[in-house]
Amino acid sequence: MNETRRDRDAEGRARNARPRDGLGRPLPYGAPGVERQPEGVVRTPAETLAEAQRLLDAGMPFHAHEVFEDAWKSGPDDERELWRGLAQLAVGLTHSARGNTAGGARLLRRGAGALTPFAEAGPYGIEVAALSDWARELAARVESGPTVDAAAEAPRLRG
């Protein structure tokens, strides 16, 4: 009998328990990896931005994306696109650092577009226009250049 078991979390949901590197890529079982971000954490916007910035600065945009995803899922409806746009920027940086230039550029541009309606308001001190410019400039570079270093390319979320 060929029995295949799936990794499960404490609630019984399928969850890959393989360790991951700083860019979220799965590593072999038993390899040292980067601790995962807990899911479903409700943070204030200031806490979200501080934690995401810490992760971006550490070269872990995949993990920053998960922090933004929690905000987009738990925040007010009128802010969903803001947090989703920020998550897309983090995933775009992740793909760019992994060498997926086409996917990285596409997500960076998509995230910049999602942030456009928030540019004038600059909610929570987020430098929306500067982030959008950063994303579009990085998208153009990754399409025609080498893989980028996630920590070296980390954007500043607030001024």
Side-chain angles (χ1 to χ4, degrees):
M1 179 167 162
N2 182 7
E3 187 177 341
T4 303
R5 293 183 180 222
R6 295 184 73 183
D7 297 326
R8 303 262 175 207
D9 66 12
E11 286 80 38
R13 293 183 301 245
R15 184 87 55 200
N16 191 327
R18 286 174 59 184
R20 297 196 176 255
D21 71 5
L23 292 174
R25 293 177 289 216
L27 299 168
Y29 285 103
V34 173
E35 189 171 329
R36 291 183 178 200
Q37 284 298 116
E39 292 182 33
V41 177
V42 177
R43 299 173 181 89
T44 66
E47 291 168 336
T48 295
L49 292 166
E51 180 64 3
Q53 187 69 67
R54 182 187 72 76
L55 293 164
L56 289 166
D57 292 345
M60 298 180 1
F62 178 81
H63 297 79
H65 143 266
E66 292 178 331
V67 171
F68 289 133
E69 191 172 276
D70 283 341
W72 127 40
K73 290 179 178 179
S74 67
D77 287 344
D78 62 339
E79 293 181 1
R80 289 178 65 90
E81 285 302 306
L82 170 70
W83 300 113
R84 185 163 65 175
L86 292 168
Q88 288 170 332
L89 294 183
V91 171
L93 179 55
T94 300
H95 282 284
S96 298
R98 288 178 178 176
N100 176 1
T101 57
R106 185 171 38 255
L107 283 161
L108 287 164
R109 288 189 179 105
R110 187 179 302 155
L115 293 178
T116 300
F118 301 94
E120 193 172 311
Y124 309 111
I126 300 170
E127 297 286 341
V128 175
L131 273 174
S132 295
D133 291 345
W134 165 84
R136 290 184 183 102
E137 186 274 329
L138 183 58
R141 265 194 298 127
V142 300
E143 284 177 324
S144 61
T147 301
V148 300
D149 178 288
E153 297 292 345
R156 298 299 317 151
L157 300 173
R158 298 193 280 189

